[in-house]
Amino acid sequence: MNPHFSFELQATDPVSGARAGRLSTPHGSIETPTFMPVGTRASVKALTRMQLLSLDAQILLSNAYHLFLRPGGELVAEAGGLHGFMSWPRPLLTDCGGFQIFSLKDTMRLDDEGVSFRSILDGSSHRWTPESNMKLQQQLGADILMQLDVCVSHRAELPEVELAMQRSAAWARRCRVSQDNPRQALFAIVQGGMHTSLRLENIARLQEIESSSSPFEGYALGGYSVGEPHEVMLESMAAITGALPPDRPRYLMGLGNPTSMLASINLGMDMFDSVLPTRTARLGTAFSSEGRLNLRNARFARDFSPLDPLCGCSTCQHHSRAYLRHLIQSREINAAVLLSEHNVHYLLDLTRKARAAILAGNYQDFLKDWYDSAASADY
Ligand SMILES: [Zn+2]
């Protein structure tokens, strides 16, 4: 196993698969379960590094596709990697950018060797292979790199999903072979849509790769939270988590709504990311103990109570719903800042509480209280 990374399982819920763990990286450790705020272009929208540090975000996520287009991997490497460029002292993860490329559809061409695409910025042509993507992510210098994978729509037919899974698995091998910097961890991505047999085959192929080269430091689940119903996702996940190696962190990609996150933790997921808290904040919406609040609503115009009376974040300590609504209506930048701070705090705090409950051995009670609360309507 890589000496720069280790994952210690600290507690497992006896009833479900919920786990509490600690992932050590060269930039510090990450206590799981955890939520990772997304800074797609090396910046979490509307939040400064000081705010993210005071929110105690343990790890941030960035995106290799967007950084490849601008400012480019070489420039970031010259700045000392993303840690130096963003001035972020804690762990970082870069997503490979596959999801973004495969969303381009018309301007993307895929074959067994790699993928060709045009820049959304200037139309220039580019080609990525698993090897060139690893080189890019090595230049970006995050602690955790994601393999280049092949993503398909959740509406894709079985043959297309199967081909994508086969290519993803073949690319996982090529990424594993070319990612040889021990100070960077490589996470494999399991694809296969909602087809249990494909997902299980993908996991088996990843384990074959490990036996002939070196282990993946973590396993991610891709292709969930892409528009399928919450129950369908959970059912699919429940059927495959038992096949994942228990001694590796498990990252559910792109999921950030509170109820789905807690249900996924119950199935043994450890890491989450989503643009949901910052995107909804910019739209004037806040997570809360009363469910999601749309502050544009006129009923908040004279509501001088805190945004969420049960929240300990700085926004809720100082500002009323009426004030926040006024900022949104007046298109003040601070509306996005204050709501983003609250929403990111909300998810970080929720995963911290989930972790504490797992460590205390009462995650099932915690989950029951959640489902009994008004907040659980939100997914
Ligand atoms: Zn708050």
Side-chain angles (χ1 to χ4, degrees):
M1 211 63 182
N2 184 335
H4 298 284
F5 293 87
S6 63
F7 182 64
E8 177 200 348
L9 214 47
Q10 298 167 303
T12 307
D13 183 68
V15 180
S16 69
R19 306 128 48 98
R22 182 180 287 126
L23 173 62
S24 303
T25 83
H27 287 89
S29 57
I30 301 155
E31 296 191 325
T32 62
T34 197
F35 176 75
M36 305 184 279
V38 180
T40 304
R41 298 178 174 86
S43 164
V44 178
K45 288 192 197 305
L47 293 177
T48 64
R49 68 186 287 284
M50 281 308 293
Q51 286 171 306
L52 290 159
L53 287 169
S54 73
L55 290 170
D56 204 16
Q58 303 185 80
I59 171 171
L60 301 182
L61 190 141
S62 199
N63 189 283
Y65 168 71
H66 289 282
L67 295 173
F68 168 80
L69 296 182
R70 186 170 55 206
E74 280 171 23
L75 188 145
V76 174
E78 217 177 296
L82 275 176
H83 287 97
F85 193 44
M86 296 170 65
S87 186
W88 180 252
R90 294 182 174 182
L92 286 169
L93 178 151
T94 42
D95 189 12
C96 62
F99 183 81
Q100 284 69 27
I101 287 187
F102 293 107
S103 316
L104 298 174
K105 291 190 181 79
D106 300 342
T107 56
M108 177 274 296
R109 245 189 32 256
L110 171 70
D111 54 65
D112 287 342
E113 285 308 299
V115 58
S116 303
F117 58 96
R118 285 183 186 280
S119 163
I120 47 163
L121 296 183
D122 59 11
S124 55
S125 298
H126 302 279
R127 182 163 174 81
W128 274 6
T129 61
E131 291 78 13
S132 72
N133 185 270
M134 284 296 102
K135 183 164 177 264
L136 168 66
Q137 292 192 65
Q138 285 165 347
Q139 285 175 324
L140 297 174
D143 301 275
I144 300 172
L145 317 187
M146 301 306 299
Q147 76 153 99
L148 186 62
D149 63 337
V150 180
C151 307
V152 291
S153 153
H154 75 285
R155 292 188 194 88
E157 299 290 332
L158 180 67
E160 193 188 347
V161 182
E162 178 163 19
L163 179 61
M165 183 280 283
Q166 299 290 358
R167 279 180 169 147
S168 281
W171 289 7
R173 180 184 297 278
R174 289 164 60 188
C175 287
R176 182 65 284 179
V177 170
S178 62
Q179 196 328 77
D180 53 3
N181 180 350
R183 297 185 66 82
Q184 294 182 299
L186 177 64
F187 278 26
I189 303 177
V190 177
Q191 291 287 357
M194 305 303 147
H195 307 283
T196 302
S197 60
L198 294 186
R199 292 225 176 233
L200 291 174
E201 188 186 336
N202 197 159
I203 294 169
R205 290 196 52 187
L206 293 171
Q207 287 172 332
E208 260 169 53
I209 296 167
E210 296 191 325
S211 63
S212 61
S213 53
S214 49
F216 296 102
E217 284 84 359
Y219 277 64
L221 300 183
Y224 285 130
S225 194
V226 287
E228 78 283 9
H230 165 87
E231 293 75 17
V232 170
M233 176 190 78
L234 293 178
E235 199 180 310
S236 169
M237 223 185 314
I240 61 157
T241 43
L244 294 169
D247 59 346
R248 248 62 68 73
R250 300 160 175 179
Y251 162 28
L252 177 54
M253 303 180 78
L255 183 128
N257 83 65
T259 298
S260 295
M261 215 157 73
L262 295 182
S264 306
I265 289 172
N266 204 40
L267 294 175
M269 292 298 128
D270 307 307
M271 300 163 75
F272 304 88
D273 80 284
S274 175
V275 296
L276 191 69
T278 46
R279 180 171 288 167
T280 52
R282 294 196 303 285
L283 297 171
T285 300
F287 296 130
S288 90
S289 55
E290 298 166 21
R292 230 180 268 199
L293 302 178
N294 179 356
L295 291 157
R296 292 177 186 279
N297 196 305
R299 72 185 165 106
F300 297 119
R302 286 192 160 70
D303 187 341
F304 301 110
S305 61
L307 174 54
D308 184 347
L310 302 185
C311 176
C313 87
S314 156
T315 300
C316 293
Q317 298 312 299
H318 296 104
H319 300 296
S320 67
R321 293 170 173 184
Y323 177 67
L324 293 165
R325 179 174 189 277
H326 159 71
L327 295 184
I328 295 161
Q329 298 297 91
S330 312
R331 298 177 188 274
E332 284 291 335
I333 288 172
N334 272 343
V337 173
L338 293 169
L339 287 180
S340 296
E341 188 166 8
H342 165 80
N343 279 352
V344 169
H345 170 86
Y346 187 90
L347 294 186
L348 290 172
D349 195 50
L350 191 64
T351 48
R352 282 192 286 258
K353 285 175 178 154
R355 175 181 157 80
I358 297 165
L359 287 170
N362 56 18
Y363 190 65
Q364 296 312 306
D365 293 339
F366 175 84
L367 208 53
K368 186 178 179 305
D369 288 347
W370 173 265
Y371 281 114
D372 287 344
S373 74
S376 66
D378 184 18
Y379 59 85

